[in-house]
Amino acid sequence: MSSIRSTKSTIRDIASHAGVGAGTVSRVLNNHPHVSDSTRAKVLKAIEELNYRPSFSARQMRTGKSQVIGFITDEIASTQFAVNIIKGAQAVAWDYGKLVLVVNSDGNRAIEYEAIEMMLERGVDGIIYASMFHRQAQLPDSIHEVPAVLIDCFLPDRSLPSVVPDEFGAAHEATEILIRKGHRRIGLINLGGEAKPAIEGRLAGYTAAMQAHGLYDPDLIVHGGDEGAGRHGYASAMKLMKLTERPTAIFCAQDRIAAQAYRALHELGIAIPNEVAVMGFDNHIDVATTLSPLLSTMALPHLEMGQWAVEYLLSGAGEPLEPVQVKLPCPYIERQSI
Amino acid sequence: MSSIRSTKSTIRDIASHAGVGAGTVSRVLNNHPHVSDSTRAKVLKAIEELNYRPSFSARQMRTGKSQVIGFITDEIASTQFAVNIIKGAQAVAWDYGKLVLVVNSDGNRAIEYEAIEMMLERGVDGIIYASMFHRQAQLPDSIHEVPAVLIDCFLPDRSLPSVVPDEFGAAHEATEILIRKGHRRIGLINLGGEAKPAIEGRLAGYTAAMQAHGLYDPDLIVHGGDEGAGRHGYASAMKLMKLTERPTAIFCAQDRIAAQAYRALHELGIAIPNEVAVMGFDNHIDVATTLSPLLSTMALPHLEMGQWAVEYLLSGAGEPLEPVQVKLPCPYIERQSI
DNA sequence: TTGTATGCGTTATCAT
DNA sequence: ATGATAACGCATACAA
């Protein structure tokens, strides 16, 4: 439709077009209080006519703020359901009028360090570092040159604010839910691998609940192997079912473990949830809603952690961020397996 | 360890520190040919000592290039396995020394338009728009102000280059594979919903292969419903199995459909793959590798599309991009269900 | 209320 | 080979 407006107009072009000074244009652009309605209208009209678009790089040079935040993650792909962290972070940033620079490191520390360097060069207003599973992180000193928040991980010296799932509370609640349903013999198939805080937190939460009700029995606990993807779930469930006093409920510390447990129970001809109830953990949507019966599980608050991180990052109005360590609750998702 | 270097040094600071002119520093920074080794060394040393870090916003003001590319996607979450598109795009951008600005629109067109506007304000070097399923897209005119590439979708007027999966070829090959295994009666459970190109392409590929071998029979085709998530797979498989001349293989146009078909076959006591082979589509990793037996399927080239898009975007050395329409092959992933 | 001038950190042009 | 200087587009301090 329109002609050749190659989007090249500057603040001065619209100034002369509107017959005002450059400063005035800047003022209306930034909604300054002291500018008459008539001139504001003229300027707005000129902006419209010349198809003006402000240059954020120029603006950044003056103000020092880029309106961009950096987001670094270690393994965006391995636990794909965790993209909700990014989604939550980006959505909140958007509400603040900011855009998000995303880099996936694939767990390569050199890339993470360089990513931080590149973001600093771009003058990001803040950086968020997200791990895809709860663990301790290691970051370069330069991270402290800008406001930063950690998701699903923490620094050895706790010098940065972080938000993680409340593993203990979630496991405790999951166990309580099962107990409330009348179960006395509740097995736990824990996860393996390097997610220490998750492994220990979930075990502790389960243990505390069981002990509080005088139900604790170490035979009911199966520790995870390192095969990954919950592949030990099958053998673990089999083992649990061979107990003389076999459990009437199994708490799987991961939905993928639950999927394998389902398979074992199925082969044994044991009905879920009538003979044995199964509780998952993660709310790994592709797994939980593909299983039959649908899996009841504790949801990891991915979206919420992403939101919290950006919210906290941006709330700090430039002040140095208090290095709080926040634990977010994991809601129980009731479906059909309990 | 070091003192109070608050990372504030500019090109001039290091110039005076090294006892040279500002221009010289810029030259070594950009690897210009005509600079003596001795001065280069001095400058490098000063850079090191003052912990200098270039300002990309200042650089962008001069050069006009931001070294950033924008990535807009409609539904990052609904088909979460498609994050590989982002992963592939970001990885290639990284290799080019560029960072990626990501915004998820949740399918909201207003957000998409505004995102493009914001990216233009930030002077991105290019924009990639990715749909999470193969369809026609609608974008504002302003998208043409910068190099742009489409993923998994296309514009009505084909004015932008795009990369999509070769739906026809993939379905054709999937069917051929089944035929080669000796199957004559091959059922197709197609998908429902609004992914027109995928629905039609897969149907056409299947049909072409069946006809080429004189195996075509419309009774073998079940069209998908709109329940989503492949939930019609169960009923469709049941229907197929009730045929007088029932199929010995089922081609499911989506892994989630296959998951439901598994359930149906299971209930019917039909063994996979011995009595009925099952071919999936998507290589939806959480589904395909959770099922038992593991699902053989056609993989959507998500990662490759992301890579291709950025590669093509950046290859154009500033020249306007030729609006080619590329179809990428979908590799067959052999597992246990065939 | 509004116009003018200055400087943010670079790169590029022009001397030398 | 290298140093001085202008200009990129904007926000702000200062003047009017």
Side-chain angles (χ1 to χ4, degrees):
Chain A
M1 36 216 66
S2 71
S3 48
I4 3 74
R5 283 266 60 75
S6 42
T7 192
K8 289 259 143 218
S9 44
T10 92
I11 210 173
R12 273 202 253 281
D13 294 328
I14 83 108
S16 63
H17 188 83
V20 301
T24 302
V25 176
S26 176
R27 280 184 276 261
V28 338
L29 243 25
N30 297 285
N31 308 300
H32 273 248
H34 299 298
V35 35
S36 80
D37 289 347
S38 61
T39 48
R40 174 183 305 275
K42 281 192 303 186
V43 170
L44 257 19
K45 183 158 150 292
I47 286 179
E48 181 71 20
E49 291 178 356
L50 293 197
N51 208 264
Y52 168 77
R53 180 182 296 132
S55 159
F56 271 54
S57 62
R59 196 171 277 181
Q60 178 177 1
M61 280 211 55
R62 280 292 312 196
T63 65
K65 309 203 72 319
S66 63
Q67 308 292 32
V68 166
I69 80 177
F71 187 103
I72 301 175
T73 172
D74 54 357
E75 293 278 5
I76 198 180
S78 68
T79 65
Q80 296 152 327
F81 64 116
V83 289
N84 275 329
I85 293 182
I86 299 186
K87 198 184 176 195
Q90 192 264 310
V92 173
W94 176 267
D95 290 341
Y96 277 86
K98 295 181 195 306
L99 257 24
V100 179
L101 232 25
V102 176
V103 6
N104 172 233
S105 73
D106 266 328
N108 182 329
R109 190 158 301 148
I111 290 187
E112 292 178 354
Y113 279 43
E114 194 178 343
I116 291 175
E117 193 59 25
M118 292 177 74
M119 288 175 174
L120 257 16
E121 291 174 343
R122 261 104 176 158
V124 295
D125 297 338
I127 292 182
I128 289 180
Y129 178 85
S131 167
M132 284 309 158
F133 65 90
H134 194 166
R135 64 175 173 81
Q136 174 171 307
Q138 185 178 334
L139 261 18
D141 274 1
S142 56
I143 191 70
H144 291 108
E145 293 180 26
V146 71
V149 176
L150 270 25
I151 298 182
D152 224 353
C153 60
F154 52 90
L155 245 31
D157 65 1
R158 312 270 166 171
S159 59
L160 248 32
S162 74
V163 54
V164 301
D166 181 6
E167 313 278 6
F168 178 93
H172 188 275
E173 187 191 339
T175 310
E176 282 284 359
I177 288 172
L178 258 10
I179 293 173
R180 238 176 281 138
K181 287 277 185 182
H183 296 283
R184 317 295 294 172
R185 299 285 292 169
I186 302 172
L188 167 68
I189 303 180
N190 207 350
L191 15 79
E194 45 181 339
K196 284 276 162 35
I199 296 174
E200 294 167 6
R202 295 176 197 185
L203 173 61
Y206 162 87
T207 302
M210 292 297 273
Q211 286 178 335
H213 291 265
L215 265 22
Y216 182 75
D217 175 356
D219 289 345
L220 288 169
I221 299 175
V222 187
H223 291 94
D226 277 325
E227 315 91 324
R231 263 188 277 278
H232 65 281
Y234 178 85
S236 300
M238 283 297 191
K239 185 173 165 195
L240 245 23
M241 287 302 118
K242 284 198 183 100
L243 255 29
T244 42
E245 251 190 296
R246 83 180 195 194
T248 62
I250 301 180
F251 174 26
C252 301
Q254 192 181 30
D255 287 354
R256 301 183 74 130
I257 290 176
Q260 301 304 317
Y262 263 54
R263 199 153 62 80
L265 293 174
H266 214 87
E267 286 187 16
L268 259 23
I270 297 176
I272 306 171
N274 296 344
E275 297 177 72
V276 170
V278 177
M279 168 75 84
F281 203 119
D282 279 354
N283 193 29
H284 193 145
I285 213 71
D286 293 319
V287 175
T289 64
T290 293
L291 292 175
S292 168
L294 268 26
L295 180 66
S296 293
T297 188
M298 302 304 293
L300 245 16
H302 288 304
L303 195 72
E304 293 76 8
M305 291 193 294
Q307 294 172 326
W308 187 91
V310 176
E311 201 76 65
Y312 189 70
L313 187 71
L314 267 22
S315 68
E319 312 313 303
L321 262 30
E322 206 62 38
V324 297
Q325 312 291 316
V326 169
K327 290 180 199 288
L328 253 33
C330 305
Y332 169 56
I333 309 295
E334 180 168 8
R335 281 195 269 254
Q336 308 168 338
S337 64
I338 293 179
Chain B
M1 38 213 64
S2 70
S3 46
I4 4 73
R5 281 268 59 75
S6 43
T7 190
K8 289 259 141 218
S9 45
T10 92
I11 210 172
R12 272 202 253 282
D13 295 328
I14 84 106
S16 63
H17 189 83
V20 301
T24 302
V25 177
S26 175
R27 279 184 278 262
V28 338
L29 245 25
N30 297 284
N31 307 300
H32 274 247
H34 299 298
V35 37
S36 79
D37 288 346
S38 61
T39 48
R40 175 184 304 276
K42 281 192 301 186
V43 171
L44 257 19
K45 182 159 148 292
I47 286 179
E48 181 72 19
E49 293 178 355
L50 294 197
N51 207 265
Y52 168 78
R53 180 181 297 132
S55 159
F56 271 54
S57 60
R59 195 171 276 179
Q60 178 177 0
M61 278 209 55
R62 279 297 310 193
T63 66
K65 309 203 74 312
S66 62
Q67 307 293 31
V68 166
I69 79 177
F71 187 103
I72 301 175
T73 172
D74 55 357
E75 293 279 5
I76 199 180
S78 67
T79 65
Q80 294 153 326
F81 65 117
V83 290
N84 275 330
I85 294 182
I86 299 186
K87 198 183 176 195
Q90 193 265 310
V92 173
W94 177 267
D95 290 341
Y96 278 87
K98 296 181 196 308
L99 257 24
V100 180
L101 232 25
V102 175
V103 7
N104 171 234
S105 72
D106 265 329
N108 182 328
R109 189 157 302 147
I111 289 186
E112 293 178 355
Y113 280 43
E114 193 178 345
I116 291 176
E117 192 60 26
M118 291 177 76
M119 287 175 173
L120 257 17
E121 289 174 342
R122 261 103 177 161
V124 295
D125 297 338
I127 292 182
I128 289 181
Y129 178 86
S131 167
M132 284 309 157
F133 66 91
H134 194 166
R135 63 175 173 81
Q136 175 171 307
Q138 184 179 333
L139 260 20
D141 274 1
S142 56
I143 190 70
H144 291 108
E145 292 180 27
V146 71
V149 176
L150 269 25
I151 298 181
D152 222 354
C153 59
F154 52 89
L155 245 30
D157 65 1
R158 313 268 167 172
S159 59
L160 249 30
S162 74
V163 55
V164 302
D166 180 8
E167 313 277 8
F168 178 94
H172 188 273
E173 189 192 338
T175 310
E176 282 283 359
I177 288 171
L178 259 7
I179 293 173
R180 240 177 279 138
K181 288 277 184 184
H183 296 283
R184 315 297 291 172
R185 299 286 291 170
I186 301 173
L188 167 67
I189 304 180
N190 207 350
L191 16 79
E194 43 180 341
K196 285 276 160 38
I199 295 175
E200 293 168 6
R202 294 176 197 186
L203 173 61
Y206 162 87
T207 301
M210 292 296 274
Q211 286 177 337
H213 292 265
L215 263 24
Y216 181 76
D217 175 357
D219 288 346
L220 288 170
I221 299 175
V222 187
H223 291 94
D226 277 326
E227 315 89 325
R231 264 188 275 279
H232 65 282
Y234 178 86
S236 300
M238 282 298 189
K239 184 174 167 194
L240 244 22
M241 286 303 119
K242 284 199 184 102
L243 255 30
T244 43
E245 250 190 296
R246 84 180 194 194
T248 63
I250 301 180
F251 174 26
C252 301
Q254 192 181 28
D255 286 355
R256 302 184 75 132
I257 291 176
Q260 301 305 319
Y262 263 53
R263 200 152 61 79
L265 294 173
H266 214 86
E267 286 187 15
L268 261 21
I270 297 175
I272 306 172
N274 295 344
E275 296 177 72
V276 169
V278 177
M279 168 74 83
F281 203 119
D282 280 354
N283 193 29
H284 194 146
I285 213 71
D286 293 319
V287 175
T289 65
T290 293
L291 292 175
S292 169
L294 269 25
L295 180 67
S296 293
T297 188
M298 303 303 293
L300 245 16
H302 288 303
L303 195 72
E304 293 77 8
M305 293 193 292
Q307 293 172 328
W308 186 92
V310 176
E311 202 75 66
Y312 189 70
L313 187 71
L314 267 22
S315 69
E319 311 313 303
L321 265 27
E322 204 62 38
V324 298
Q325 311 291 316
V326 169
K327 290 180 201 286
L328 253 33
C330 305
Y332 170 56
I333 309 296
E334 180 167 9
R335 280 194 269 256
Q336 308 168 339
S337 64
I338 293 179

